[in-house]
Amino acid sequence: MPRVKAAQAGRQGPAKRRLAEHFAAGEIITDMTKTEWKLGSPVGQGGFGCIYLADKNSSKSVGSDAPCVVKVEPSDNGPLFTELKFYQRAAKPEQIQKWIRTHKLKYLGVPKYWGSGLHDKNGKSYRFMIMDRFGSDLQKMYEANAKRFSRKTVLQLSLRILDILEYIHEHEYVHGDIKASNLLLSYKNPDQVYLVDYGLAYRYCPEGIHKEYKEDPKRCHDGTIEFTSIDAHNGVAPSRRGDLEILGYCMIQWLSGHLPWEDNLKDPNYVKDSKIRYRENIAGLMDKCFPEKNKPDEIAKYMETVKLLDYAEKPLYQKLREILLQGLKAIGSKDDGKLDLSTVENGSVKGKTVTKKRKKGIEESTGSSVEDMECSETQAEVATQTRSKTRKRVQK
């Protein structure tokens, strides 16, 4: 599959990036505001650098319950620099808190940026960024659940993602790579989901001026091929409607387990043509993915609404939320903020235990210890970011 090829390209590509050397636990780094941070254990390594547990500097060592992580890469590498620009412009804690307050949200699934800077070690310069720590990614849970989420879960997830997209869009950015592996649960609250990996984030509207629609053959098929937008297939810079289209494909896959073009991902033009064909026949897309009588009409309405958007048009986010809320109402549910990420065992559905029993529940549902998962989750996040940067080269 293209994602596997991309990961391999990240390791074997001609322009190999230098890896950050390992820093010892207890190393102190100082960000641009002169705040000191202490590093803990490494919890991941990928193509661009390393991730460590981190906390504000104190006499104590950084424990396994550290609230933050720090990403470190050689300063002449590019991926973290790209992501850092988004965080500095749009993810400061006070910006996020103000938005939560004014929009009367319980939370917003955008990781908070706590600091960044350069750190010299053994004559080499390293760039670092400190951000929130997270738990497992949704892709693991989707696969553990026989590649299905319940309709209620899909709608609840999508409502939270619409909150995220409205926020980043209003801050002049689009994400461009929404998918389950880029959605991480909060480390402390498994009912909260966060959108990560801003390596493909694009400033579509700098200083309030929207980029114009322009097809560029060199940019064709950017993103993750099964989900990316028709605009991206055509080499057009990402826009708000593209993010919403990608979310629509995610909803269909999470609920049905399959997208019609998934069996031919090695042919990007086939994938593009399939998406164009189904955009003109959304009823046919629903019939293909949901052959049973009980179809999710709200997803069809969502897709119909998104397809009418012009390239530079501001979406009516509340209208899209209302469509999904009607879907919850149709199944006798409501937006209660709970994510039922159940796992299937021997044909029966078993909900994961949370709160004090969270550790036991996670281990039962995945067969991994929490400590193993914390390490592998962060590694997956690093690998995803590396993969994002190589996709464009691989998929041409």
Side-chain angles (χ1 to χ4, degrees):
M1 287 176 63
R3 287 182 301 207
V4 175
K5 288 184 179 179
Q8 289 170 346
R11 290 192 297 268
Q12 300 167 0
K16 288 187 178 178
R17 298 190 182 99
R18 284 195 305 113
L19 290 177
E21 63 182 270
H22 281 287
F23 294 161
E27 178 124 7
I28 307 298
I29 57 177
T30 305
D31 68 22
M32 291 186 296
T33 65
K34 305 300 181 188
T35 302
E36 292 187 341
W37 299 84
K38 184 179 281 189
L39 302 191
S41 305
V43 289
Q45 180 171 330
F48 76 75
C50 299
I51 294 186
Y52 300 86
L53 295 179
D55 206 344
K56 293 263 180 80
N57 187 21
S58 71
S59 57
K60 296 180 182 178
S61 58
V62 178
S64 60
D65 59 344
C68 298
V69 294
V70 57
K71 299 182 179 184
V72 184
E73 71 168 19
S75 60
D76 54 359
N77 287 358
L80 183 56
F81 180 79
T82 305
E83 191 170 30
L84 184 54
K85 284 300 174 191
F86 163 79
Y87 279 106
Q88 288 174 328
R89 286 195 179 107
K92 294 186 182 76
E94 59 271 20
Q95 287 175 296
I96 292 172
Q97 284 307 125
K98 182 180 179 183
W99 184 275
I100 289 171
R101 229 174 20 251
T102 56
H103 289 76
K104 297 182 171 58
L105 303 177
K106 291 183 179 176
Y107 82 102
L108 181 70
V110 176
K112 294 184 181 73
Y113 162 82
W114 294 108
S116 61
L118 295 173
H119 181 68
D120 290 324
K121 184 176 175 68
N122 298 332
K124 296 174 183 173
S125 177
Y126 295 92
R127 179 178 286 109
F128 67 86
M129 178 174 74
I130 294 134
M131 59 185 290
D132 289 333
R133 179 188 187 180
F134 295 104
S136 185
D137 70 70
L138 287 189
Q139 185 65 25
K140 287 191 187 74
M141 303 206 166
Y142 174 69
E143 290 172 3
N145 200 41
K147 295 194 172 180
R148 288 286 197 289
F149 284 142
S150 71
R151 192 160 159 188
K152 178 178 184 287
T153 295
V154 170
L155 294 174
Q156 297 264 91
L157 280 172
S158 302
L159 284 165
R160 301 294 79 80
I161 294 166
L162 281 173
D163 291 341
I164 296 165
L165 294 181
E166 181 175 12
Y167 174 83
I168 66 172
H169 293 171
E170 286 298 295
H171 286 78
E172 302 184 345
Y173 277 90
V174 289
H175 187 276
D177 201 21
I178 301 141
K179 58 184 177 181
S181 59
N182 282 342
L183 290 159
L184 304 184
L185 296 183
S186 161
Y187 179 62
K188 292 188 174 179
N189 185 344
D191 284 326
Q192 294 185 356
V193 65
Y194 286 75
L195 181 62
V196 301
D197 191 355
Y198 291 83
L200 290 183
Y202 180 74
R203 200 176 178 201
Y204 75 95
C205 197
E207 311 304 331
I209 300 168
H210 200 293
K211 298 280 189 179
E212 62 182 48
Y213 183 96
K214 184 179 180 182
E215 295 185 7
D216 179 359
K218 294 177 183 176
R219 297 187 62 145
C220 285
H221 316 300
D222 267 8
T224 301
I225 192 163
E226 55 263 59
F227 306 115
T228 203
S229 67
I230 292 168
D231 283 339
H233 280 295
N234 287 327
V236 180
S239 72
R240 292 170 289 192
R241 73 175 182 186
D243 271 356
L244 295 170
E245 181 187 344
I246 293 168
L247 174 57
Y249 299 142
C250 287
M251 283 195 279
I252 291 169
Q253 192 202 56
W254 295 339
L255 193 54
S256 73
H258 194 73
L259 288 165
W261 45 85
E262 264 185 63
D263 295 331
N264 204 3
L265 296 179
K266 291 181 181 178
D267 185 347
N269 288 316
Y270 169 84
V271 176
K272 177 182 81 168
D273 292 344
S274 297
K275 289 174 183 173
I276 292 170
R277 191 168 65 251
Y278 280 120
R279 181 179 61 182
E280 303 312 313
N281 182 15
I282 287 170
L285 176 61
M286 292 294 111
D287 287 338
K288 176 75 173 175
C289 298
F290 305 99
E292 67 279 1
K293 288 181 180 177
N294 188 23
K295 298 187 194 308
D297 292 337
E298 67 278 1
I299 294 182
K301 286 179 188 172
Y302 172 95
M303 299 292 284
E304 293 281 6
T305 304
V306 169
K307 89 172 188 183
L308 295 176
L309 289 169
D310 289 331
Y311 178 67
E313 185 178 350
K314 180 178 178 177
L316 295 173
Y317 301 94
Q318 188 55 32
K319 180 179 179 181
L320 295 170
R321 276 191 282 264
E322 285 167 4
I323 290 170
L324 301 187
L325 287 167
Q326 283 298 316
L328 283 171
K329 190 175 180 181
I331 58 171
S333 191
K334 61 181 181 178
D335 182 15
D336 58 11
K338 302 289 184 186
L339 293 180
D340 177 20
L341 298 165
S342 304
T343 55
V344 174
E345 291 187 2
N346 302 321
S348 62
V349 176
K350 177 181 177 182
K352 271 203 302 301
T353 314
V354 292
T355 61
K356 291 183 180 178
K357 296 182 181 178
R358 182 171 178 265
K359 178 173 179 177
K360 183 182 177 186
I362 291 173
E363 290 175 358
E364 287 177 357
S365 67
T366 64
S368 304
S369 71
V370 170
E371 289 76 17
D372 289 343
M373 282 187 67
E374 285 167 2
C375 185
S376 64
E377 284 148 15
T378 319
Q379 286 174 317
E381 188 185 343
V382 180
T384 299
Q385 296 188 18
T386 306
R387 197 161 57 228
S388 295
K389 318 307 176 298
T390 57
R391 255 181 227 121
K392 181 176 176 182
R393 181 172 67 248
V394 170
Q395 292 178 353
K396 285 192 179 164

